[in-house]
């Protein structure tokens, strides 16, 4: 009867194939980051408002808990970024009571 030593290279090769196959999968269409560039998708300028309002915690992973840059180095308080106008006072929605006509012009 052959010993385990004879099958060891075969077992290691099989494990490698299984793990390599598990690593090959389809892209995550729900991701906020393009895996090829490491940046947001091209439509992010118009899409980020809805994503921020839906779940603000998604932003802090890269932009920091204070949204001033974090590991991305891109602050959400920039007045402009790559030629696009941003929000220098920081990300926000309308203040409470904004829909009341007496609160704004």
């Amino acid at each position: 009867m052959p010993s385990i030593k004879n099958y060891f290279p075969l077992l290691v090769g099989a494990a490698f194939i299984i793990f390599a196959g598990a690593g090959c999968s389809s892209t995550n269409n729900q991701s906020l980051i393009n895996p090829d560039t490491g940046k947001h998708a091209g439509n992010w300028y118009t899409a980020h408002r809805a994503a921020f309002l839906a779940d603000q915690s998604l932003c802090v992973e890269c932009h920091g808990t204070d949204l001033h840059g974090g590991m991305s180095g891109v602050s959400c308080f920039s007045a402009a970024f790559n030629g696009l106008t941003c929000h220098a006072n920081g990300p926000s929605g309308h203040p409470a009571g904004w829909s009341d006509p007496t609160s704004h012009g």
Side-chain angles (χ1 to χ4, degrees), residues 3-103:
S3 70
I4 189 90
K5 289 180 184 179
N6 295 341
Y7 289 109
F8 185 73
L10 182 62
L11 293 172
V12 170
F16 176 77
I17 291 171
I18 290 169
F19 287 119
C24 298
S25 63
S26 60
T27 59
N28 178 358
N29 293 332
Q30 302 301 315
S31 176
L32 302 176
I33 304 295
N34 179 331
D36 296 327
T37 64
K39 298 178 181 181
H40 289 293
N43 69 339
W44 189 245
Y45 182 71
T46 57
H48 78 280
R49 182 178 191 277
F52 177 78
L53 293 175
D55 187 358
Q56 298 171 14
S57 68
L58 296 174
C59 304
V60 302
E61 183 176 341
C62 296
H63 296 279
T65 55
D66 61 0
L67 301 177
H68 278 88
M71 71 178 195
S72 73
V74 177
S75 173
C76 298
F77 291 80
S78 300
F81 183 73
N82 286 346
L84 302 171
T85 304
C86 298
H87 29 82
N89 294 326
S92 65
H94 289 292
W98 177 84
S99 61
D100 179 359
T102 62
S103 296

